[in-house]
Amino acid sequence: MEGTPMNIRYLHTMVRVKDLDKTMQFFSLLGLEETRRVENDKGRFTLVFMAPPDQPECPVELTYNWD
């Protein structure tokens, strides 16, 4: 593959959290905003995606397991 450019794309980073509200407050202080939320009753988890306002394509995924 020498001489062939690699197309690498950052998708997102997942962080497992114990306290979703406090973690969201922390990332808000860094300037990130909630862009999407998924609540899964069957799997008993919540996913919250937070990203800078000018880079919604590069979120941090906060994973909160209810139990």
Side-chain angles (χ1 to χ4, degrees):
M1 295 192 76
E2 191 173 315
T4 304
M6 292 180 60
N7 291 327
I8 297 175
R9 194 173 143 199
Y10 172 82
L11 297 176
H12 69 275
T13 298
M14 187 276 281
V15 178
R16 193 171 309 278
V17 303
K18 289 185 177 185
D19 188 321
L20 185 57
D21 292 330
K22 286 184 181 179
T23 304
M24 290 180 68
Q25 288 174 7
F26 171 76
F27 280 104
S28 292
L29 290 173
L30 299 177
L32 278 63
E33 299 175 348
E34 182 177 335
T35 58
R36 187 165 59 116
R37 180 181 292 248
V38 176
E39 304 261 348
N40 188 307
D41 292 331
K42 188 173 183 178
R44 301 192 50 77
F45 64 85
T46 301
L47 305 178
V48 175
F49 295 83
M50 297 185 75
D54 57 341
Q55 292 181 305
E57 71 281 0
C58 296
V60 172
E61 174 190 330
L62 305 178
T63 301
Y64 174 68
N65 293 312
W66 300 353
D67 297 326

